[in-house]
Amino acid sequence: MSVLDELQQLAERARAGSRPALEDLTSRILPKVYGLSLRMLWDVEDAHDATQEILIRVITNLSTFRGECAFLTWVYRVAANYLLTFRKTRLEEQRMSFSLFSEDLAQGLEDKAAREPQSALLLEELRIGCTMAMLSCLDRPHRLAYIVGEIFALGHQQAAEILEINPGAFRKRLSRARGKIVEFMRAQCGIVNEANRCRCHRRLTTARQNGRVNPAALRFARDEETARQFPIVAAEVRRLEDTQRAAALYQAQYERIPGELVRALRQLLARFELTDGGARATETEIKR
């Protein structure tokens, strides 16, 4: 049985009142919803808040899911509709653009920065934070199209269903977003193009000084072992056609699910009563 079929069956059992099915279902879609939220919003706290709200909407609207599309497509549609109207992020408040980002990347580069083995995790933190921030240079509709179409590599029909536009409009939106990301990385990113001056190891000292990388509170990097494997990933990325390198770099990233988000999910599920047809928020949850 495929993962999509399993999700479909879990959704049906949850609608019928099975709490174990609901718990299993939400734990499986949590990484997908959080991954989408984090890439859309960049800020970990914002992604945490958005993920909880999206999961509440999914849980309380299970009765409206009629199986006319794949369950995950429906979940992504719920998430997309919410994320498009979410409050402005810190980067959006700063009116982040590709030109401003280019200026920022040119500042504080060291010519001969040390490549210390113990810096692998910090470099991973910097890389992921940088590429996540890059997405914020796109407006939200184009950002969303790039994430679902290029990073998640969903088919055009499915992606169009998620965005609730026709496939032709989605292809145009994705093409524009892809073109901007590829052009920027081709000109700036030393991972995608080794001829570029910008290198993560040259930016690390400045990033630590300005608080963008905090060794005591990592936001994006997952673990030391994954971080140490990045040179292999980078080599694989550079073997691709240059138009494919940007997407491959994003796809190689694994989001770090905050432990507090998992705990919040468990507390959230405890505040729902199951009924025939889905879940209903208790009075406590309604007043949350």
Side-chain angles (χ1 to χ4, degrees), residues 115-139:
R115 293 175 179 257
E116 300 175 6
Q118 62 267 32
S119 297
L121 196 60
L122 301 184
L123 289 171
E124 181 83 347
E125 176 81 356
L126 179 60
R127 274 192 294 269
I128 298 176
C130 179
T131 52
M132 291 282 190
M134 198 180 303
L135 293 174
S136 293
C137 296
L138 297 168
D139 62 37

Side-chain angles (χ1 to χ4, degrees), residues 207-256:
R208 293 184 66 171
Q209 290 172 348
N210 62 28
R212 293 181 181 177
V213 171
N214 182 356
L218 298 178
R219 297 174 297 170
F220 304 110
R222 191 171 64 168
D223 57 64
E224 189 77 29
E225 183 178 354
T226 301
R228 291 185 184 280
Q229 294 300 312
F230 185 77
I232 299 174
V233 172
E236 292 296 327
V237 166
R238 294 191 187 106
R239 290 192 183 98
L240 300 172
E241 296 289 335
D242 67 345
T243 55
Q244 300 174 324
R245 292 176 186 176
L249 184 58
Y250 281 109
Q251 290 165 355
Q253 295 172 354
Y254 295 92
E255 58 274 4
R256 178 174 177 261

Side-chain angles (χ1 to χ4, degrees), residues 73 114 177 192 201 222 227 241 243 273 277:
T73 299
V192 170
H201 68 278
R222 191 171 64 168
E241 296 289 335
T243 55
E273 295 177 354

Side-chain angles (χ1 to χ4, degrees), residues 1-275:
M1 182 185 300
S2 70
V3 172
L4 292 180
D5 289 337
E6 289 179 3
L7 290 177
Q8 208 95 347
Q9 287 196 5
L10 285 172
E12 292 173 1
R13 287 166 51 200
R15 287 179 58 186
S18 170
R19 180 168 291 278
L22 179 64
E23 293 173 351
D24 193 3
L25 182 67
T26 50
S27 67
R28 291 196 189 201
I29 64 175
L30 169 63
K32 300 180 184 300
V33 172
Y34 181 72
L36 178 59
S37 299
L38 185 61
R39 288 173 173 86
M40 277 293 292
L41 304 175
W42 176 78
D43 185 87
V44 171
E45 288 75 21
D46 283 344
H48 183 293
D49 293 346
T51 298
Q52 284 200 77
E53 185 59 38
I54 291 165
L55 290 175
I56 288 173
R57 295 186 179 203
V58 168
I59 292 168
T60 56
N61 287 283
L62 273 176
S63 61
T64 68
F65 175 63
R66 304 299 181 189
E68 296 172 352
C69 62
F71 180 73
L72 191 55
T73 299
W74 179 74
V75 170
Y76 278 144
R77 184 185 300 159
V78 172
N81 287 335
Y82 181 75
L83 291 167
L84 286 171
T85 59
F86 191 81
R87 62 180 179 266
K88 282 188 177 181
T89 66
R90 282 185 289 160
L91 289 183
E92 289 171 330
E93 292 284 1
Q94 296 170 20
R95 299 178 181 271
M96 180 59 70
S97 65
F98 286 110
S99 60
L100 288 176
F101 202 13
S102 295
E103 294 174 8
D104 183 75
L105 291 177
Q107 304 299 316
L109 288 176
E110 297 180 287
D111 288 329
K112 294 182 179 180
R115 293 175 179 257
E116 300 175 6
Q118 62 267 32
S119 297
L121 196 60
L122 301 184
L123 289 171
E124 181 83 347
E125 176 81 356
L126 179 60
R127 274 192 294 269
I128 298 176
C130 179
T131 52
M132 291 282 190
M134 198 180 303
L135 293 174
S136 293
C137 296
L138 297 168
D139 62 37
R140 288 192 180 184
H142 285 87
R143 195 185 316 162
L144 186 56
Y146 186 81
I147 293 169
V148 300
E150 197 78 346
I151 300 176
F152 291 0
L154 301 182
H156 290 182
Q157 182 63 46
Q158 183 182 8
E161 290 179 10
I162 292 168
L163 274 57
E164 298 183 289
I165 57 178
N166 66 64
F170 170 74
R171 283 191 289 271
K172 290 180 181 178
R173 191 176 294 180
L174 175 60
S175 178
R176 288 192 292 267
R178 183 196 295 121
K180 291 179 180 180
I181 291 290
V182 168
E183 180 182 14
F184 182 83
M185 282 199 173
R186 190 184 280 160
Q188 300 291 335
C189 181
I191 300 171
V192 170
N193 181 359
E194 290 185 288
N196 290 326
R197 175 172 165 75
C198 185
R199 292 286 195 284
C200 296
H201 68 278
R202 290 177 177 170
R203 290 183 51 78
L204 185 57
T205 299
T206 299
R208 293 184 66 171
Q209 290 172 348
N210 62 28
R212 293 181 181 177
V213 171
N214 182 356
L218 298 178
R219 297 174 297 170
F220 304 110
R222 191 171 64 168
D223 57 64
E224 189 77 29
E225 183 178 354
T226 301
R228 291 185 184 280
Q229 294 300 312
F230 185 77
I232 299 174
V233 172
E236 292 296 327
V237 166
R238 294 191 187 106
R239 290 192 183 98
L240 300 172
E241 296 289 335
D242 67 345
T243 55
Q244 300 174 324
R245 292 176 186 176
L249 184 58
Y250 281 109
Q251 290 165 355
Q253 295 172 354
Y254 295 92
E255 58 274 4
R256 178 174 177 261
I257 307 295
E260 58 269 25
L261 180 55
V262 176
R263 290 189 290 273
L265 172 61
R266 292 172 183 155
Q267 294 171 1
L268 174 67
L269 289 173
R271 294 199 293 264
F272 281 89
E273 295 177 354
L274 295 184
T275 62

